[in-house]
């Protein structure tokens, strides 16, 4: 097994929108098995407990995107189920488990296409590219898919 720092997780809701909450801490573990299973633990603010309790109760499998180790890394896609929600002081620990999706989104290439289409060049393009690679805003092409 290998473990990594979990920096952020975005969960896709039924309406196609993404839900995320700031992590106080997080870890992700590759179980290195034939099912490509991963275990994620998120330490977040207690205010998000009702959402995760609902997902735990329903057993719903969630599409999620996780940024691992470095903010510049492309988010990895997962199919996750909530396995446990535990209160710890003013926070909650969320335990999730599921396989890594095989398809990569090629975020960097699509972002670059979008910046070129917006007419950005030179330092302005480079600054925006660096910022967006770190912050990972939803791309126009993904917003358009959700709205169609």
């Amino acid at each position: 097994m290998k473990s990594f720092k979990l920096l952020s997780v975005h969960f896709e809701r039924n309406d196609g929108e993404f839900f995320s909450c700031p992590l106080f801490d997080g870890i992700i573990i590759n179980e290195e098995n034939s099912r490509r299973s991963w275990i994620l633990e998120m330490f977040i603010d207690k205010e998000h407990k009702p959402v995760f309790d609902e997902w735990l109760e329903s057993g719903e499998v969630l599409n999620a995107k996780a940024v691992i180790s470095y903010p510049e890394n492309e988010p990895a896609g997962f199919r996750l189920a909530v396995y446990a929600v535990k209160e710890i002081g003013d926070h909650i620990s969320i335990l999730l488990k599921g396989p890594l999706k095989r398809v990569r989104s090629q975020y960097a290439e699509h972002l670059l296409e979008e910046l070129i289409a917006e007419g950005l060049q030179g330092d302005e393009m480079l600054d925006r590219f660096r910022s967006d690679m770190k912050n990972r805003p939803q791309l126009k092409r993904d917003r358009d898919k959700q709205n169609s």
Side-chain angles (χ1 to χ4, degrees):
M1 286 194 227
K2 293 180 184 167
S3 62
F4 305 91
K5 177 77 173 164
L6 181 62
L7 299 180
S8 67
V9 184
H10 301 275
F11 299 94
E12 187 174 6
R13 293 181 182 256
N14 291 334
D15 61 7
E17 293 294 315
F18 280 86
F19 164 79
S20 65
C21 43
L23 299 181
F24 287 96
D25 204 1
I27 187 169
I28 182 165
I29 301 166
N30 181 350
E31 290 191 293
E32 296 184 324
N33 57 27
S34 61
R35 295 180 310 277
R36 298 186 335 270
S37 294
W38 291 69
I39 299 169
L40 289 75
E41 184 174 18
M42 304 175 4
F43 192 61
I44 60 176
D45 193 276
K46 190 166 39 176
E47 73 181 70
H48 302 290
K49 189 175 186 304
V51 173
F52 289 96
D53 281 340
E54 182 181 320
W55 285 338
L56 174 64
E57 223 174 276
S58 73
E60 182 178 354
V61 176
L62 309 161
N63 287 315
K65 294 179 182 180
V67 177
I68 303 166
S69 297
Y70 300 100
E72 300 81 21
N73 285 346
E74 183 173 333
F78 291 90
R79 304 259 310 138
L80 300 171
V82 177
Y83 273 71
V85 178
K86 182 175 180 171
E87 277 190 50
I88 302 173
D90 292 335
H91 300 91
I92 52 174
S93 171
I94 309 294
L95 189 65
L96 306 118
K97 188 173 180 180
L100 180 67
K101 290 177 160 181
R102 291 185 188 264
V103 179
R104 294 191 63 191
S105 69
Q106 299 175 321
Y107 186 87
E109 291 88 346
H110 296 304
L111 172 60
L112 191 54
E113 288 171 358
E114 192 171 294
L115 297 177
I116 291 168
E118 289 179 20
L120 297 180
Q121 298 178 27
D123 288 341
E124 185 181 14
M125 182 192 298
L126 187 56
D127 290 343
R128 173 85 175 278
F129 181 79
R130 287 179 177 149
S131 171
D132 286 1
M133 284 300 295
K134 184 175 182 175
N135 298 320
R136 302 290 177 157
Q138 188 175 30
L139 297 172
K140 182 181 183 312
R141 69 190 315 252
D142 296 333
R143 288 190 306 269
D144 291 346
K145 283 181 188 174
Q146 289 176 356
N147 296 331
S148 50

